[in-house]
Amino acid sequence: MASISLSKAEKSYIQTGLLSNPPLRADGRSSLDFRSVALETGVAPLANGSARISIGRTSNGGGTEVLAAAKLEVESVGEDGVDGGRIMCTVSCSPAAYPHISSNGLDDLQHDMSSILHQTLSHLSLHPKNLGILPNKKSWLLNLDIAVLSDSGNIYDALFMAARAALWDTKVPRTRSIEYKVKKTGSSVTTGTGKNGGSGDMDVDEDTPSGFDTRQIQNATDFELPDYWDEGEVLDGRDKWPVCVTLNLVPPVHYLDATLQEEAATPLKLLLAFSFLPSTPPDIQGMRIIGPGEIKPSYLKDLVKDGEKYARELFSSLNAKLKDEDLRRNQKARDRFEQHR
Amino acid sequence: MISFTSYPLQLDDESFYGSRQHHPDAAEDIDMDLDDEQELFEAGGSKNLTYPGEPLTSSHAYMRGHGTYVNDEEVIASVAGTIERVNKLVTVRAIRTRYNPEVGDLVVGRITEVQPRRWKVDANSRQDAVLMLSSVNLPGGVQRRKLESDELQMRNFFEEGDLLVAEVQAFFSDGAMSLHTRSLKYGKLRNGQLVTIPPILVRRLKSHFITLPCGVDLILGLNGYIWVSKHVKESDQEGEEGFDAEAVYSNQNDRIDELTRVAISRVTNIIRVLASHFVPLTDTLLLEAYEWAVDQEDGAKDLLQDDVGDLLVAMITTRRQ
C-alpha cells in the first residue's frame, strides 16, 4: 500500500485521538471536515475539458494535487471503436508524488487507481449519448487522463472530483455528416447534407435545414465539423458523473479526508461513489473496501447511509463551484474579447 | 463540511517583482553582513534574492563557495537564495534545499532501515544518516559496553518508522552524517506528532528543546523536522543515573488529555502557517503566535484558513518591527 512509514507511537497517538470523544485529529479538524479544496477548470487549452484540484493546499504549495484532462479522438467502429463511443480512464502518478515507492510499485498503484476510476466512469448507466458520430461508422473515444502530481492523503476523492470537473467541462464538437450522391449524369459529386447521422444530438443543427428530406441519412460516409471555432456542446448527462467519498474506518468511528499520516494509521477504508440526479433516488456507482480487515454487513449498511449524506453535501458544493467556474471563465472570455475589440 | 476555493490568480510581472522581498529579519541579517560590501550587489541591484544564473561578482576579487560557479571570470549564482560572504568567499544559501548537516546540530530523524550494528535514519538530508549501535545508550547503564546480544535485538531499541532525536556526531568520508543519542535528552520520540518545514526556517537557538506554557514540548530539529508533544516534567524524564530502558525505548504513549491534544494541534498548525508564509521560527515568536491564536477563540483548525493565517503572520511581523 502507498502509506508512508510511521512509528508505533505516532500511530497510536492518531488512533487514540480519533477514538476519543469528541474525535480529535492532528490538525484540529472534526471527523467530517475536509481540508480546503481548490478547484479550477479549463486548465489545459488543448484538451476538450480539463480541471485541476488540490486538497489542503497552502500558499506555498503542498496538499494533494490532481490534474485531469479529457480529450476526444475519432474512432472507426469495427476497428477499435464501439458504436456510440466509449470512455477510457487512465491515471498516472508522478514519481515525485510517491518518492518512497519503487517504479514497479508505482505502476501497480496507478493501475489500481485507473481500474477503479475506469470501472466506475465507463459504466453503461453513465454513458453519454452524444459520443456517437455516424451510426456503425464513426464514434468518439473519450480519453480521460488524470495525473497525480502530489499526494498528501485522500487521493481517491480528489481523483473523482477532478474527473467530474473535467467531464463537466468537456465540450463535444458538433459534426455534420457527408454523403456521396450520384448525379443523374453519372459523375459523382460531394455534397454536404443537413441532418445529422449521430444518434443523440438532434437538437444541434436546426440551422442547416435539409430541404424536404427529414429522414435519417443511412448512407452517410464521413463527417465534417461545421464550425471550427465552436467548442461544441457539453457532454450529455454531465449531471450524472459521480463523486466519491472515502470513509476511513476506525471502528466504531469513521472520518473523512485523511491526511497521509492518518491513512497510515487507519488501514481500512471504504470508497463510495454516488451519483445524484434531481428528483430520483441516488445511485451507488461504485464501492470498494481497501485495506486489510473486515466489515459486518449491518455496519456496512449504516456506513453507506452516512456516506450518502456526505456525498450529497460534497456533490452540491462541487456543483456550485463548477457553476462558479463556468461563470468566471465566461467573464474572462468576455473581458478578453472586449480588450481585443 | 467541505468548502471549495479558487487557485490564486497568476501573478503578473509587476506584482512578482514587487513581492521579491525578504522577511524583515532575514533582510536585516543580510544588511549586516554586506553593508560594507556594496560591490557584491553591483549586478543584483538592491535585490536580496539571487536567481540561478545571476552574475554576483568578479572571480578575481572573490572565491566561489557553495551555490555558485565561475564562468567568464564571473561568480554566478547557481540557485535561488540569499548571498552570504565570509571574507573573500561568496556563497549562496538556497531557499529550498535539503538539510546541510553540521557537527553538533540537533536533528529529528526517522529510522528507515536496520542494518548490522547500525540504523539508517532519514533526516531530510541528501543521504540517509547513520546511527551506530555503539552511539546509542544501551539499557542497563550509560557506560555499558555493547554485547553480541544487543546486536541481535536492535529492533527492540529502534525499528523502522521510529522517530528519534539525536545530535550530529561526525561525518563519514562520503558525506553521510553519523548521529549519536548518548544523552538522556536524546532518544525515541512519543506522545506527539511531527510537522515538517523547510530546514532554512529553523534558526540556531540556545536550546532546541522548547517548553511552551500551554503544556506542549517542542523539539526543533535543524533539519526541519519538528516534534510537538505533550510536556514531560524533567523529574519524570528519568531517575538520576538509573536509565530505564522500558521508558526510553517504549512505544507506548502516555495518557494525553483533550486540552493538551488541542494545544498540540494548535501549535502544529501555527508552525505550518508560519512555514507557508516563510517566517523563520523562534521560541518567542511561537509563543506570541500561540497567545494570539488563543485570544481569537477559534478552534485549532481555523488557523489553516488562508485569511486567519494571513492575519496571524501580519500580527507577528508588525509586532517585531
Side-chain angles (χ1 to χ4, degrees), chain A residues 5 7-10 12-13 17 26-27 32-34 37-39 52-54 59 65 313-314 317 321, chain B residues 1-7 96 110 159 161-163 190 193 251 253 256 258 261 264-265 269 276 301:
Chain A
S5 79
S7 75
K8 281 177 181 158
E10 284 175 288
S12 102
Y13 180 83
D27 49 7
L32 301 183
D33 278 334
F34 267 69
V37 184
L39 180 103
R52 73 171 169 151
I53 189 166
S54 105
S59 49
E65 179 127 34
E313 206 166 320
L314 176 65
S317 41
K321 177 65 186 169
Chain B
M1 172 186 117
I2 183 167
S3 67
F4 283 89
T5 57
S6 302
Y7 280 90
R96 291 213 184 281
R110 191 188 291 281
E159 62 183 340
D162 279 353
L163 281 170
R190 51 200 188 101
Q193 59 191 25
N251 286 317
N253 286 328
I256 305 170
E258 197 179 310
R261 268 181 193 273
I264 290 176
S265 310
N269 284 353
S276 77
K301 65 174 176 182

Side-chain angles (χ1 to χ4, degrees), chain A residues 51-252:
Chain A
R52 73 171 169 151
I53 189 166
S54 105
I55 303 182
R57 187 177 172 282
T58 58
S59 49
N60 67 350
T64 299
E65 179 127 34
V66 168
L67 186 69
K71 182 80 183 161
L72 291 165
E73 200 177 304
V74 177
E75 276 188 324
S76 299
V77 176
E79 288 169 29
D80 286 321
V82 180
D83 194 24
R86 62 193 180 114
I87 296 180
M88 280 295 296
C89 303
T90 320
V91 179
S92 55
C93 300
S94 155
Y98 299 96
H100 54 287
I101 297 183
S102 68
S103 66
N104 285 333
L106 203 63
D107 283 347
D108 288 350
L109 183 70
Q110 55 196 27
H111 181 261
D112 286 355
M113 291 180 183
S114 301
S115 68
I116 289 184
L117 206 69
H118 182 73
Q119 286 171 5
T120 310
L121 295 184
S122 67
H123 191 262
L124 275 182
S125 59
L126 294 171
H127 193 77
K129 293 196 192 72
N130 57 352
L131 282 182
I133 304 172
L134 298 175
N136 294 320
K137 287 211 173 70
K138 301 272 182 195
S139 63
W140 292 112
L141 162 63
L142 195 154
N143 279 308
L144 178 66
D145 292 309
I146 303 190
V148 177
L149 304 179
S150 66
D151 181 359
S152 51
N154 203 15
I155 188 67
Y156 284 103
D157 289 10
L159 285 177
F160 274 87
M161 276 193 268
R164 179 172 160 83
L167 290 169
W168 175 277
D169 186 45
T170 301
K171 306 276 194 303
V172 183
R174 293 191 175 85
T175 55
R176 184 166 60 192
S177 47
I178 298 175
E179 92 182 277
Y180 296 97
K181 268 185 185 161
V182 181
K183 273 195 174 176
K184 277 177 187 152
T185 51
S187 63
S188 72
V189 175
T190 316
T191 48
T193 51
K195 204 59 189 168
N196 195 318
S199 48
D201 38 7
M202 320 293 214
D203 51 336
V204 287
D205 37 14
E206 297 303 320
D207 51 337
T208 50
S210 62
F212 301 109
D213 186 9
T214 55
R215 286 170 303 169
Q216 287 271 320
I217 295 160
Q218 292 305 326
N219 46 358
T221 51
D222 209 345
F223 69 96
E224 62 180 8
L225 301 177
D227 188 352
Y228 180 76
W229 292 103
D230 188 18
E231 276 190 304
E233 60 190 311
V234 295
L235 199 61
D236 171 66
R238 65 174 184 173
D239 288 313
K240 267 191 308 195
W241 298 114
V243 290
C244 170
V245 281
T246 306
L247 304 184
N248 301 279
L249 306 178
V250 192

Side-chain angles (χ1 to χ4, degrees), chain B residues 161-198:
Chain B
D162 279 353
L163 281 170
L164 58 98
V165 52
E167 192 180 285
V168 180
Q169 186 176 34
F171 293 106
F172 291 103
S173 53
D174 63 351
M177 56 179 147
S178 165
L179 305 176
H180 79 91
T181 61
R182 279 202 172 260
S183 158
L184 292 183
K185 288 184 298 184
Y186 304 148
K188 196 178 260 187
L189 295 171
R190 51 200 188 101
N191 294 334
Q193 59 191 25
L194 184 79
V195 51
T196 309
I197 67 171

Side-chain angles (χ1 to χ4, degrees), chain B residues 5-287:
Chain B
T5 57
S6 302
Y7 280 90
L9 295 172
Q10 294 280 319
L11 295 173
D12 48 15
D13 281 358
E14 204 171 312
S15 59
F16 175 67
Y17 287 114
S19 66
R20 278 180 62 167
Q21 288 174 359
H22 259 274
H23 182 259
D25 286 354
E28 223 168 80
D29 288 353
I30 289 163
D31 288 348
M32 278 190 285
D33 282 348
L34 292 167
D35 51 2
D36 56 340
E37 206 48 78
Q38 289 303 316
E39 266 179 88
L40 271 180
F41 282 118
E42 264 180 352
S46 60
K47 296 192 304 276
N48 294 323
L49 276 183
T50 63
Y51 55 84
E54 178 177 338
L56 299 177
T57 180
S58 147
S59 67
H60 294 300
Y62 288 93
M63 295 193 310
R64 70 183 176 90
H66 290 299
T68 61
Y69 62 96
V70 173
N71 190 21
D72 284 344
E73 303 184 347
E74 271 183 321
V75 179
I76 295 172
S78 62
V79 291
T82 55
I83 305 170
E84 284 176 6
R85 187 186 60 87
V86 179
N87 296 326
K88 293 285 170 199
L89 180 71
V90 179
T91 57
V92 175
R93 204 167 154 212
I95 302 178
R96 291 213 184 281
T97 176
R98 292 201 158 253
Y99 164 61
N100 287 318
E102 283 172 40
V103 171
D105 281 359
L106 180 113
V107 297
V108 173
R110 191 188 291 281
I111 305 284
T112 57
E113 237 177 287
V114 182
Q115 291 181 343
R117 284 187 295 282
R118 73 193 63 197
W119 291 273
K120 288 277 181 178
V121 184
D122 160 41
N124 203 18
S125 181
R126 289 184 181 81
Q127 307 176 58
D128 275 353
V130 173
L131 176 67
M132 303 292 289
L133 179 59
S134 55
S135 36
V136 303
N137 274 332
L138 296 169
V142 184
Q143 300 302 327
R144 183 164 85 77
R145 277 176 59 86
K146 77 175 166 68
L147 303 168
E148 210 167 311
S149 62
D150 293 326
E151 287 180 28
L152 297 174
Q153 49 160 352
M154 281 175 64
R155 281 205 174 80
N156 290 355
F157 309 139
F158 294 113
E159 62 183 340
E160 289 89 346
D162 279 353
L163 281 170
L164 58 98
V165 52
E167 192 180 285
V168 180
Q169 186 176 34
F171 293 106
F172 291 103
S173 53
D174 63 351
M177 56 179 147
S178 165
L179 305 176
H180 79 91
T181 61
R182 279 202 172 260
S183 158
L184 292 183
K185 288 184 298 184
Y186 304 148
K188 196 178 260 187
L189 295 171
R190 51 200 188 101
N191 294 334
Q193 59 191 25
L194 184 79
V195 51
T196 309
I197 67 171
I200 197 171
L201 294 181
V202 182
R203 309 185 127 197
R204 274 168 223 283
L205 304 167
K206 220 180 274 169
S207 167
H208 286 258
F209 293 90
I210 298 172
T211 303
L212 298 177
C214 49
V216 172
D217 277 354
L218 274 175
I219 301 176
L220 301 176
L222 274 163
N223 55 347
Y225 289 2
I226 296 177
W227 182 249
V228 188
S229 63
K230 179 192 164 198
H231 179 56
V232 179
K233 284 199 208 88
E234 288 219 1
S235 56
D236 287 0
Q237 242 166 5
E238 274 92 34
E240 59 282 5
E241 281 297 288
F243 175 84
D244 186 3
E246 294 280 297
V248 170
Y249 292 113
S250 159
N251 286 317
Q252 294 291 316
N253 286 328
D254 302 340
R255 226 194 77 74
I256 305 170
D257 58 26
E258 197 179 310
L259 284 177
T260 317
R261 268 181 193 273
V262 172
I264 290 176
S265 310
R266 189 170 274 146
V267 171
T268 315
N269 284 353
I270 288 171
I271 294 172
R272 283 209 186 102
V273 168
L274 293 181
S276 77
H277 289 78
F278 229 73
V279 182
L281 281 184
T282 58
D283 41 353
T284 47
L285 198 133
L286 268 171
L287 210 57

